[in-house]
Amino acid sequence: MSRPFFTKRSLSAFAIVVVAVGAATAAQRVYASDHQDTPEVELNPRSDINDVYAFPGSSADRIALVLTTSSPIAGTNASFDPNLLYQLKIDNTGDAVEDRVFQITFDEGVGAAQKYTVRGPVVPAATGTRNTLVTTGDVVTGNVGSSAGVATATRVFAGLRADPFVIDLEQFFNIIPDRRPATGPLSVQNGPAAGSFRSPGVDFLRPFNALAIVIELPKSLLQSSTAADAKFGVWGTISR
Ligand SMILES: [Ca+2]
């Protein structure tokens, strides 16, 4: 199957990942994480990237890449959108153009009844905002809520996980009320208008889940065999 996808959002949380893997040069422009930044993604939270993370893997030679979605609160009936293409992109040559991609798609279904397919890491068939499903490379399939793959190669998990992002979201909306959602529990103002975060701070997202795509693999599979150094940058996109 090969069809074009058009990126609705890209480079979300790029700044966070740059810090995590030290991949981009200081001269490059970076973008901060953003949630609910357009009416379209607010109405379609499964197309809204929460955050992108790069964590140390289960051994020193491995890395875990994470893309979370369904901002800001994913309920137990949350599911990934089968009509969207979720991607993690890797630049390993320092030019901010992807050299490897993971492409993640989902079948219809809710919870464990939904299946995921992860293609990659593989050289992309197209770069930038136009995206095409690859037809080569490794493929891992599994059920949402379960992990799949090979422990010594690429392992994947997709499903509900505690949102690892730390923010006092309730107070944030008291500081910048025009970012408050139009519907849902966070649409209701809780507390007076504020000019700063509370002290001590409140980890408001601590009890809430996000929908997470987690891919753990050897770092060597993402590094260039010809570039002068082994650094690489990671960002996420969701395309329709
Ligand atoms: Ca590149």
Side-chain angles (χ1 to χ4, degrees), residues 90-100 235:
I90 294 94
D91 165 40
N92 59 25
T93 57
D95 61 0
V97 177
E98 60 268 42
D99 304 291
R100 299 287 186 276
W235 67 99

Side-chain angles (χ1 to χ4, degrees), residues 1-6 82 84-87 101-106 117-120 122-126 130-136 139:
M1 179 174 67
S2 178
R3 65 183 176 91
F5 293 86
F6 296 92
L84 297 178
L85 173 63
Y86 299 80
Q87 294 186 93
V101 291
F102 288 101
Q103 298 186 328
I104 305 100
T105 55
F106 295 88
T117 300
V118 178
R119 300 168 175 86
V122 64
V123 176
R130 186 175 176 86
N131 302 280
T132 304
L133 272 179
V134 297
T135 56
T136 59
V139 176

